[in-house]
Amino acid sequence: MLHAIIERSRRIVFFGGAGVSTASGIPDFRSDGGLYRRRFGDLTPEMILSQSFFYLHPEALFDFYRSYMLHPEARPNAAHRALYELEKRDKLRGIVTQNIDGLHKAAGNRRVYEIHGSVHENYCMDCNAFYPMEKILRSQGIPRCDRCGGVIKPWVVLYGEAPDKYTCMGACREISNCDTLIVAGTSLSVEPAASFLGYFHGKNLVVINREPTPADDKATLVIRGAVEEVMAE
Ligand code: NAD
Ligand code: ZN
């Protein structure tokens, strides 16, 4: 059924979340094995990964970030690879991802909208110098710019921060122009990302997720399973 929808579609957009990368060894937030089931002292991951925590306790935020958000060993899985094949066949118009792991770009996809940013882009808050993820991994405490000593901030959208306007505009444009939208590996509980689905006016809304999602009711097809297996097939 999904195969038939893909064959009939000319403009597919894939909208994904943390579940797309669990098979690459990166835990999601809200599943049983996810980070939100754990507490870190008195704090929750949402409290730590927030804009106010970044300004109040940058050292603690960077310790958490290095330990739990950076996965230098992670490689694209079968879901990422299948999406690369669909882009090569000119079926896939774009990927809108809430993930910050950069795995869609690592798989070769070019039209990727990383609406929550990427761990691979880090900038000095004072002089804007660019740094790769390795700079953050190799540093201790607050990472500092080699050029000016400023704080290096990952281009990752923290709770309380607004996502990049142009990335979001591009993502919404792709969603409003596609004929098939595949929503996968996301609980659809983070805003404004989840509300982007409201721009969809195409024919087929496909949901692939292990657990029920708020989009299931509106979907043409709901597949309850592992996105890496479904997409590979
Ligand atoms: P979430 O943790 O809220 O939800 C993940 C959903 O994916 C769950 O419903 C779960 O059942 C499902 N799932 C897990 N593994 C799956 C699989 N293999 N196949 C199918 N479904 C699977 O994640 P979210 O909705 O993306 O929201 C979390 C936020 O956290 C996002 O903003 C994202 O930026 C961030 N995050 C990113 C990463 C990453 O970059 N890989 C990892 C964790 C969290
Ligand atoms: Zn600098």
Side-chain angles (χ1 to χ4, degrees), residues 16-23 26-31 36 69 98-102 116 159 184-190 208-213 225-228:
V20 175
S21 295
T22 49
I26 304 178
D28 65 5
F29 276 174
R30 292 176 186 80
S31 296
Y36 280 17
M69 305 311 289
Q98 300 167 84
N99 293 346
I100 57 173
D101 53 38
H116 291 159
Y159 286 95
T186 173
S187 63
L188 294 176
S189 49
V190 177
I208 309 168
N209 209 62
R210 281 206 181 123
E211 293 162 88
T213 81
V227 59
E228 64 281 5

Side-chain angles (χ1 to χ4, degrees), residues 1-223:
M1 176 96 176
L2 176 58
H3 188 261
I5 290 176
I6 287 175
E7 287 310 315
R8 278 200 309 272
S9 303
R10 292 191 309 137
R11 302 181 67 91
I12 301 170
V13 167
F14 183 90
F15 180 99
V20 175
S21 295
T22 49
S24 296
I26 304 178
D28 65 5
F29 276 174
R30 292 176 186 80
S31 296
D32 274 348
L35 220 47
Y36 280 17
R37 299 289 156 99
R38 300 173 54 176
R39 285 189 76 83
F40 302 87
D42 288 340
L43 302 169
T44 62
E46 287 113 313
M47 288 156 106
I48 299 172
L49 293 169
S50 71
Q51 189 183 33
S52 46
F53 198 84
F54 174 75
Y55 286 105
L56 290 169
H57 309 287
E59 218 168 310
L61 184 137
F62 277 111
D63 285 348
F64 182 91
Y65 179 80
R66 275 189 206 91
S67 307
Y68 299 104
M69 305 311 289
L70 298 182
H71 299 271
E73 71 297 339
R75 296 290 172 268
N77 64 51
H80 301 101
R81 290 195 293 271
L83 289 165
Y84 175 59
E85 291 304 320
L86 285 178
E87 188 177 284
K88 267 205 306 200
R89 286 175 55 198
D90 222 14
K91 287 270 180 197
L92 185 74
R93 301 305 304 175
I95 295 173
V96 178
T97 182
Q98 300 167 84
N99 293 346
I100 57 173
D101 53 38
L103 290 180
H104 288 298
K105 287 185 176 169
N109 284 87
R110 300 181 65 146
R111 291 187 290 259
V112 185
Y113 298 86
E114 295 172 315
I115 54 181
H116 291 159
S118 167
V119 296
H120 297 290
E121 291 186 42
N122 304 276
Y123 299 95
C124 170
M125 291 176 80
D126 289 338
C127 76
N128 225 29
F130 170 87
Y131 291 96
M133 175 174 70
E134 288 66 33
K135 173 75 177 169
I136 310 290
L137 271 172
R138 282 199 309 265
S139 60
Q140 287 186 334
I142 302 169
R144 296 278 177 181
C145 177
D146 296 336
R147 275 207 280 191
C148 78
V151 175
I152 303 172
K153 187 173 187 294
W155 178 54
V156 163
V157 180
L158 299 171
Y159 286 95
E161 274 182 339
D164 176 66
K165 184 169 116 187
Y166 296 102
T167 309
C168 291
M169 280 165 61
C172 293
R173 188 183 58 235
E174 295 296 355
I175 292 171
S176 61
N177 287 334
C178 71
D179 52 12
T180 293
L181 181 64
I182 303 176
V183 176
T186 173
S187 63
L188 294 176
S189 49
V190 177
E191 292 294 354
S195 64
F196 290 0
L197 301 196
Y199 287 92
F200 177 66
H201 302 293
K203 255 187 155 167
N204 309 293
L205 175 64
V206 179
V207 177
I208 309 168
N209 209 62
R210 281 206 181 123
E211 293 162 88
T213 81
D216 294 4
D217 290 350
K218 296 168 219 97
T220 327
L221 174 65
V222 177
I223 302 176

